[in-house]
Amino acid sequence: MLVVANETPTRVVHHRSSLGEWELAIRRPDPRLHPYVTEYEGYRETAAPAVIKRREVPWPGVVLIINFGPAFRISDPRVATGPADYYSFVAGLSESWAVVESIGRSYCMQVNFTPLGARRFFRLPMHEITNRAVHMEDVLGVQGEWLREQLAECPDWDARFALLETFIATRLSGARPPTAEIAWAWHQLQLRDGNRPIGLLAKELGWSPKRLIAEFRQEIGLPPRALARIIRFNRVIRWLDGRDEVRWAALAHRAGYFDQAHFNRDFRELAGRTPGEFFRRRVAGGGNMED
């Protein structure tokens, strides 16, 4: 079993505006968990409006939300049955945006898994949770509810992060490691911000493109080309942080898009907005505001 002794300090950020106020606690995982977990977060929010809605866009990872407050309502444009309520849930890799609605206040923790970490932690084929949210109890069972109850009783964020990381490390140590070939291919896509020819990946592995696609769906959740698209798009989103103005043509070229039309099309399909609309609706703490 992996015994963690994480000495990374917890960073706490407070924010207050006309939309309400929130507290965000952030902690990096133990270095030995970096291939599997990118960040832990704790969040408390009291919204000034009765309802606050954020548009969440695709990113190259899987999210676990452990909720201590009211349910979130999630609306997915691809789901004909309309919005659904979730307390604690897992959000798999997604190829489109969704709207997450909270009512008045939120109180939760979040784990950001890499796709390889999610495969090892949840111990199921990743395509089973791709493009959807799944109730936590459906993937973790009674262990998930035990974890939620124990975290709720902790006195502060540091204690919660320590308990959460121990739980994750124990579960990871009892699971099979990721396939070496897929781990290598995932790393190659990350190194080049998604700008890596998929045919070349398959050739270097000595696999057919068909096998590469099948293995990615099982271990990652999406075909490599779709994942590369999300990695490239997400890098652009991160580049927008802290900027007051953007030269879109230069940014599109830097990110590896063929041209401005290609760049705009990806934004509309992945974020449901033009780049300019998305940029104007950014909010502190992440996400885009809805009307």
Side-chain angles (χ1 to χ4, degrees), residues 44 57 73 86 130 160 218 240 242 247 251 254 291:
R44 292 179 187 263
V57 298
R73 176 158 293 181
Y86 295 84
T130 295
R160 292 186 192 102
Q218 180 82 0
L240 296 179
R247 294 185 178 183
L251 183 58
R254 177 185 176 191
D291 294 327

Side-chain angles (χ1 to χ4, degrees), residues 86-116:
Y86 295 84
Y87 285 91
S88 299
F89 63 93
V90 180
L93 283 170
S94 178
E95 297 175 271
S96 185
W97 53 275
V99 175
V100 179
E101 177 181 327
S102 56
I103 303 173
R105 62 187 180 89
S106 300
Y107 180 22
C108 63
M109 296 188 74
Q110 176 172 323
V111 183
N112 295 335
F113 288 99
T114 68
L116 297 179

Side-chain angles (χ1 to χ4, degrees), residues 71-86:
F72 293 100
R73 176 158 293 181
I74 301 178
S75 303
D76 188 323
R78 297 159 298 187
V79 177
T81 55
D85 290 344
Y86 295 84

Side-chain angles (χ1 to χ4, degrees), residues 87-288:
Y87 285 91
S88 299
F89 63 93
V90 180
L93 283 170
S94 178
E95 297 175 271
S96 185
W97 53 275
V99 175
V100 179
E101 177 181 327
S102 56
I103 303 173
R105 62 187 180 89
S106 300
Y107 180 22
C108 63
M109 296 188 74
Q110 176 172 323
V111 183
N112 295 335
F113 288 99
T114 68
L116 297 179
R119 173 71 170 105
R120 191 169 181 178
F121 180 81
F122 294 112
R123 305 178 185 180
L124 49 78
M126 284 292 96
H127 64 80
E128 292 185 6
I129 61 171
T130 295
N131 288 320
R132 58 187 296 226
V134 181
H135 297 286
M136 182 176 71
E137 59 267 27
D138 291 341
V139 290
L140 291 180
V142 295
Q143 281 193 337
E145 183 54 30
W146 175 89
L147 177 64
R148 192 197 70 80
E149 291 175 355
Q150 294 298 309
L151 289 170
E153 294 177 2
C154 288
D156 53 36
W157 290 123
D158 282 334
R160 292 186 192 102
F161 288 138
L163 173 62
L164 179 61
E165 184 157 77
T166 297
F167 180 88
I168 291 171
T170 301
R171 190 169 170 89
L172 288 174
S173 66
R176 71 168 181 82
T179 303
E181 293 87 349
I182 294 299
W184 176 84
W186 156 250
H187 184 59
Q188 293 302 308
L189 289 177
Q190 284 187 300
L191 281 177
R192 292 161 176 80
D193 298 331
N195 297 306
R196 175 78 166 174
I198 304 308
L200 183 58
L201 278 181
K203 182 178 180 180
E204 291 180 353
L205 286 171
W207 289 359
S208 68
K210 184 176 180 180
R211 181 182 177 186
L212 182 64
I213 290 170
E215 294 284 349
F216 256 71
R217 289 189 72 252
Q218 180 82 0
E219 300 289 328
I220 301 287
L222 284 172
R225 196 177 306 280
L227 181 61
R229 184 189 191 204
I230 291 170
I231 292 172
R232 182 173 57 232
F233 169 78
N234 194 252
R235 179 55 59 91
V236 171
I237 298 300
R238 295 203 302 275
W239 282 341
L240 296 179
D241 288 346
R243 294 176 182 267
D244 296 322
E245 59 180 81
V246 181
R247 294 185 178 183
W248 294 109
L251 183 58
H253 176 75
R254 177 185 176 191
Y257 287 92
F258 297 129
D259 52 30
Q260 189 73 37
H262 180 206
F263 180 70
N264 292 341
R265 183 170 62 253
D266 262 19
F267 254 88
R268 289 192 182 94
E269 293 178 3
L270 296 175
R273 287 178 171 154
T274 66
E277 289 170 336
F278 184 90
F279 186 68
R280 288 191 295 272
R281 288 175 176 266
R282 292 174 305 159
V283 293
N288 253 223

